Amino acid sequence: MKKIILLFTVILLQTSFLYAQEETSDKVEHSITNDLNWISSYDDAQKLAKEQNKQILIFFTGSDWCGLCKLLKKDFFSSDEFKAIAHDNLILYKADFPRRTDIVSAEDKKVNEALDNKYSKSRSKRSFPTIVITNANGVELGFIESYNFIHDTTNHFRLLKKSIQ
């Protein structure tokens, strides 16, 4: 009987611990997303860029499967330096290519595929993550593909600084 009670207690504690970890992870993800103003429509992003005389940053990502995309989001997009640059100079748009079909609407999927076709024509294949900087009229000013496991965002910031000058 003592073994059953002990086993039940261990299972209960593990479940509580896992739930607490998941809840904390969700809160961190939510706060990262809330700190940045990602525009949900590319047409709206272009209109805002024209109105505010800003450039558009398009983040090509696989939000539910791309590990490097998630890492870049944590290391680059959540940094105070990026937030300051983005606030003053950029309109942000996320072109998401998830594996789950319920994450992106069919209309957004078509828009994202059109953007991918337009901005990846000079490259041989799609690579995730990719960041493309354009002016308000959609002219590409620069891009950077992929990311690394050594958490080096130097080239990403170099792209931003070069593009906003």
Side-chain angles (χ1 to χ4, degrees):
M1 182 69 171
K2 288 182 180 181
K3 287 183 181 181
I4 292 174
I5 293 173
L6 180 62
L7 180 63
F8 179 75
T9 304
V10 168
I11 291 171
L12 183 65
L13 289 173
Q14 283 181 330
T15 305
S16 298
F17 177 73
L18 290 174
Y19 177 75
Q21 271 189 326
E22 184 175 304
E23 187 175 301
T24 301
S25 174
D26 288 345
K27 286 179 182 177
V28 169
E29 179 70 24
H30 184 68
S31 70
I32 289 170
T33 304
N34 280 343
D35 288 341
L36 298 171
N37 186 21
W38 292 93
I39 306 303
S40 60
S41 159
Y42 184 71
D43 289 338
D44 290 346
Q46 279 194 303
K47 287 175 191 171
L48 280 172
K50 288 177 183 176
E51 289 171 7
Q52 298 178 16
N53 194 27
K54 292 184 178 182
Q55 294 162 350
I56 301 170
L57 180 146
I58 306 170
F59 176 41
F60 291 92
T61 182
S63 64
D64 66 341
W65 61 268
C66 176
L68 291 177
C69 299
K70 293 174 184 179
L71 194 61
L72 183 64
K73 188 174 178 181
K74 179 180 169 257
D75 294 343
F76 181 64
F77 292 121
S78 66
S79 72
D80 291 336
E81 183 179 2
F82 175 80
K83 290 174 189 174
I85 292 170
H87 181 267
D88 295 336
N89 302 287
L90 299 169
I91 301 298
L92 306 174
Y93 179 76
K94 199 178 301 180
D96 197 2
F97 293 84
R99 290 196 176 135
R100 282 186 27 212
T101 57
D102 62 328
I103 294 176
V104 175
S105 71
E107 183 181 319
D108 287 342
K109 185 178 179 181
K110 286 180 186 177
V111 169
N112 293 345
E113 287 174 355
L115 289 171
D116 180 51
N117 289 333
K118 179 177 181 178
Y119 295 114
S120 67
K121 64 184 173 202
S122 64
R123 300 173 275 290
S124 60
K125 63 178 181 156
R126 177 186 304 160
S127 175
F128 293 102
T130 295
I131 295 173
V132 175
I133 309 288
T134 72
N135 66 16
N137 296 318
V139 175
E140 184 177 319
L141 304 173
F143 74 93
I144 186 167
E145 293 179 312
S146 199
Y147 190 50
N148 55 49
F149 287 106
I150 59 171
H151 306 271
D152 183 10
T153 58
T154 305
N155 291 329
H156 295 78
F157 281 110
R158 189 174 298 131
L159 168 68
L160 288 184
K161 290 172 184 172
K162 179 183 166 196
S163 298
I164 61 176
Q165 288 180 353

